[in-house]
Amino acid sequence: MLPTAVSPRILIVGAGLAGTATAIRLLCFARGPLEVVLLERRADYRYAGVAYHRDGNPWDHVFNIQAGRMSAFREDVLDFVRWANTEADRSGWPAPWAGFEFAEHSPAPRRIFQDYLAQRLGQAAREARPGVVLVEADGEAVDLDVRANGVEVTVNRYAPRGRQPGGQTGEQTEVLSADEVILATGLELREPAFAAGVLGHPSFVRDPYSAAGVATLEALAPEATVAIVGSVLSAYDSAALLLRRGHTGTIHLISGSGTVFRTYPDDHEHDVVQLPCPHTLLQPYHDREEFLARLRAEWDAACAAIARDYPGIDAAVVAERVAKAWEPYCPEAIAQIPTAELRAMLDEYGTAISALRVCAVQYTMSVIEHAMGPADGRLRLVVGRVQAITPTGSGRMAATVSPPSGTSHVIEADLVLSNFAREPDYDRVGQPLWRNLLAKGLAVPHRRTGRGVEVDRHGTLLGSHGEPIGPVFSVGVPREGDEIVRNGRTGAFAFNLAAIKNQSIAVAAHALERLDLGEPQDAEEVFGVAADFGNIGQAHRAGFEEAVVLEVKRLATRARGERELLDARVDDRIRSLAAFRHERLVRAAVNRAAVARLTDVSVTPRQLRRRLGLAGIDHPEG
């Protein structure tokens, strides 16, 4: 059991990517005593979650995007690349990775990200100010209640096997008190109805990112016939793993949309282009056919404009550039679409949207494309939806596939993999914590999209009547629907690393602001402070701007010594302004302005770094 906190306590539920990233920011941002508790129910998921944990990611599983886009810090673009080249312990790495020189455009094994995040978290804890501490705890949060003085979280702790009489796994329940709670619960598993009768069958793999799933693939006979349900990037991981191991049997990729992802060019670099608003998409919605016709016309025009105005952009990434450029306009366009239609289109076109928003690296796609080519043919794309999977008398699996038109047909396979299908609808999520939050009205499934839960602009959970649920925030996957309608993020960019980088900054800063200011109504006064500084004399405006510039650098600095020097300079500027307004409110206004600049997605991370003058900031080693 954790001792009673003597300083404010923030409990983060989930220590995967989102939880770890947010913990790092809290440890770096905190200016006074604070206890950050990072709670994780699965030891193998700590610092990684399902996407990056070592047991589920063989060395051939690489990031979908380039190594240069995998930094945990948006303001420090090449941090992951530097770590991989100069800090990572390569003693257990196999060839070719043991001697690999990582570059911004290169691939990187997904499994090393767990070590990277662990080291960056440890670094943040060591470089935190005195009195700011990290506590890593094991257990599953199953319920919470908001009290007048904070939050009480019910946690199940599991004793290791063999510690209990008879060698049984034990379970203890305790209640943890916290001033604030941040929910970073990650991806939720969807149980496929078509596989209800074969979930325990040895020839069916429900989770290819589990240790058991990987072991099954690695032990499979090379000549075996395989059916993979789904054709998104995670399906490519499984197919590429088999192909790199010399698999000779047929691999069927069964896809409802028939989507095939594009390949990034070798020298690809993330960029943001400016495109005019697609005005016809902001017109009133009539029906799906009419809307899609407008969408296609605007899309074709935007792609043509990029080809004309940006001749240096590779054709493979034109769609990605358009999707990114349209993000500022998407919320207004989405607002025109009725809820039922919006949900239906997200379900039907989700994979296609994902494929427009992101490509895949050549390391993976070269294997996939070759195996799909006529000279090889081991990998076959089957367009249709799986209706049922049943065992045959010979021990094989039979997948019944319904094509977009025509009659259903059956694919027999020695092994069937269900591509890792997440459950976006929190009405269907089986995790006890979310079930209890929904039952109590402390959380509500996202009404417009049916993806994730309702949150406000700060990431605070909203209850059944639209009210903020005290000091309870969310980061990562549960905010998918809000990212879509509020920020126009599409595909995996509604919940992936890019979104989490910004959410971790904003939530950590707001959580600390709330601890500093106290009651929410006090916090709302912050909105008027920055506006007031814009309406008074030049000296005050200049002083406020100088404070914001310094605060941006403080938030971006990970070395304690330099951060404390910047903090002192920020304090000096704020004291010179505090005669005009309460000092705590001025600091909160300065911090909000700095956070807004750090989370600006209208530019690339490299452009952001230059714009904010962060190039000279040093970071601690290791």
Side-chain angles (χ1 to χ4, degrees):
M1 177 177 291
L2 295 180
T4 302
V6 296
S7 58
R9 172 185 285 169
I10 298 179
L11 172 64
I12 303 175
V13 178
L17 168 60
T20 300
T22 307
I24 290 170
R25 294 298 188 175
L26 286 168
L27 294 166
C28 290
F29 292 175
R31 301 172 59 249
L34 178 70
E35 182 182 86
V36 179
V37 179
L38 194 53
L39 180 71
E40 176 53 54
R41 62 192 176 97
R42 289 187 54 162
D44 56 332
Y45 278 14
R46 188 172 287 276
Y47 322 125
V50 66
Y52 305 115
H53 71 114
R54 283 182 290 272
D55 292 345
N57 283 286
W59 284 97
D60 283 333
H61 281 189
V62 300
F63 299 121
N64 300 325
I65 56 179
Q66 299 80 9
R69 297 171 71 179
M70 292 305 300
S71 169
F73 308 96
R74 190 164 186 269
E75 69 277 12
D76 189 6
V77 185
L78 295 180
D79 183 66
F80 173 75
V81 172
R82 286 197 305 271
W83 172 86
N85 284 331
T86 64
E87 298 177 48
D89 178 5
R90 300 195 183 195
S91 57
W93 292 19
W97 305 114
F100 193 83
E101 181 73 17
F102 293 93
E104 183 171 1
H105 305 120
S106 72
R110 197 175 296 159
R111 60 183 289 131
I112 68 174
F113 204 62
Q114 189 166 22
D115 291 333
Y116 166 65
L117 288 177
Q119 290 189 30
R120 286 297 177 256
L121 179 65
Q123 179 189 83
R126 291 190 301 273
E127 295 291 328
R129 296 190 70 157
V132 178
V133 298
L134 171 68
V135 177
E136 298 188 72
D138 296 321
E140 179 180 10
V142 296
D143 201 359
L144 69 77
D145 291 288
V146 178
R147 308 298 187 195
N149 59 345
V151 186
E152 292 183 346
V153 181
T154 303
V155 177
N156 284 346
R157 295 186 182 276
Y158 306 101
R161 186 171 296 278
R163 299 278 182 88
Q164 299 297 311
Q168 298 301 310
T169 300
E171 177 181 309
Q172 291 182 321
T173 299
E174 65 177 276
V175 176
L176 297 181
S177 297
D179 295 273
E180 298 176 333
V181 172
I182 298 172
L183 303 178
T185 50
L187 294 164
E188 302 293 342
L189 191 66
R190 169 183 284 177
E191 295 301 339
F194 57 73
V198 296
L199 289 177
H201 198 284
S203 295
F204 178 76
V205 174
R206 171 64 194 92
D207 182 3
Y209 287 105
S210 64
V214 171
T216 298
L217 285 174
E218 291 180 336
L220 189 66
E223 68 277 5
T225 300
V226 179
I228 301 177
V229 182
S231 65
V232 295
L233 293 173
S234 51
Y236 291 0
D237 286 337
S238 297
L241 175 64
L242 290 171
L243 293 166
R244 287 186 185 278
R245 295 175 64 85
H247 196 83
T248 57
T250 300
I251 303 172
H252 301 277
L253 283 182
I254 306 174
S255 167
S257 64
T259 300
V260 176
F261 281 74
R262 292 156 292 116
T263 305
Y264 279 121
D266 288 336
D267 60 349
H268 174 72
E269 184 175 307
H270 178 47
D271 198 6
V272 178
V273 301
Q274 302 300 316
L275 291 175
C277 174
H279 287 289
T280 66
L281 299 185
L282 310 186
Q283 297 172 1
Y285 185 93
H286 298 293
D287 57 58
R288 185 184 302 191
E289 183 177 349
E290 184 269 345
F291 173 78
L292 291 178
R294 281 189 279 140
L295 176 60
R296 279 190 286 268
E298 290 281 11
W299 183 268
D300 290 344
C303 291
I306 287 183
R308 180 186 65 246
D309 300 336
Y310 301 91
I313 293 180
D314 191 284
V317 297
V318 166
E320 181 176 314
R321 295 287 189 267
V322 173
K324 174 61 182 174
W326 277 9
E327 278 183 2
Y329 315 119
C330 282
E332 187 175 352
I334 290 170
Q336 310 302 317
I337 305 173
T339 295
E341 278 289 271
L342 176 61
R343 290 188 176 205
M345 284 193 283
L346 287 172
D347 287 341
E348 183 171 350
Y349 302 116
T351 301
I353 292 171
S354 297
L356 292 173
R357 187 63 180 86
V358 70
C359 305
V361 295
Q362 181 128 15
Y363 183 88
T364 299
M365 292 306 297
S366 61
V367 176
I368 297 296
E369 290 173 345
H370 182 272
M372 278 187 169
D376 189 319
R378 285 175 292 167
L379 189 59
R380 300 178 184 177
L381 181 65
V382 179
V383 181
R385 300 192 179 277
V386 175
Q387 301 300 313
I389 298 175
T390 55
T392 67
S394 62
R396 306 181 83 205
M397 292 279 110
T400 303
V401 181
S402 177
S405 59
T407 59
S408 299
H409 59 279
V410 173
I411 295 175
E412 281 202 15
D414 299 293
L415 183 71
V416 174
L417 285 80
S418 179
N419 181 44
F420 187 88
R422 62 189 183 87
E423 178 54 77
D425 185 351
Y426 277 56
D427 262 332
R428 300 175 181 172
V429 165
Q431 189 183 145
L433 176 60
W434 286 111
R435 300 306 307 163
N436 286 325
L437 289 176
L438 266 62
K440 293 177 178 180
L442 300 179
V444 179
H446 197 262
R447 293 181 173 92
R448 286 282 285 142
T449 65
R451 285 163 151 70
V453 295
E454 293 283 351
V455 297
D456 69 8
R457 64 184 180 277
H458 302 300
T460 309
L461 281 193
L462 297 179
S464 55
H465 301 292
E467 75 284 11
I469 300 300
V472 182
F473 309 96
S474 180
V475 291
V477 180
R479 290 174 60 170
E480 178 186 3
D482 187 72
E483 283 287 332
I484 293 171
V485 303
R486 188 185 301 276
N487 298 320
R489 309 284 270 185
T490 54
F493 278 81
F495 57 84
N496 70 354
L497 175 60
I500 287 170
K501 289 179 190 180
N502 276 2
Q503 290 175 9
S504 65
I505 293 171
V507 167
H510 186 69
L512 293 171
E513 175 195 296
R514 196 180 187 284
L515 287 177
D516 186 46
L517 294 183
E519 293 301 315
Q521 56 264 32
D522 295 335
E524 291 309 307
E525 295 182 47
V526 175
F527 283 114
V529 175
D532 288 342
F533 279 114
N535 295 327
I536 59 177
Q538 177 64 31
H540 279 111
R541 286 198 299 272
F544 184 80
E545 173 62 21
E546 184 180 348
V548 172
V549 170
L550 291 169
E551 179 71 352
V552 166
K553 293 182 178 180
R554 183 188 78 86
L555 295 177
T557 298
R558 305 203 298 275
R560 182 201 297 179
E562 185 177 352
R563 197 167 61 234
E564 289 179 343
L565 291 174
L566 287 164
D567 195 30
R569 294 177 65 189
V570 174
D571 276 343
D572 286 343
R573 295 311 306 150
I574 287 175
R575 276 193 289 271
S576 72
L577 299 168
F580 175 70
R581 278 297 196 115
H582 193 289
E583 185 174 324
R584 288 191 306 155
L585 292 177
V586 175
R587 173 168 277 284
V590 166
N591 181 262
R592 286 195 183 187
V595 166
R597 294 184 189 185
L598 269 179
T599 56
D600 179 8
V601 296
S602 68
V603 294
T604 68
R606 179 172 277 100
Q607 292 166 342
L608 181 79
R609 186 173 175 82
R610 288 196 297 266
R611 176 183 290 185
L612 299 181
L614 301 177
I617 291 180
D618 293 325
H619 298 298
E621 295 291 330

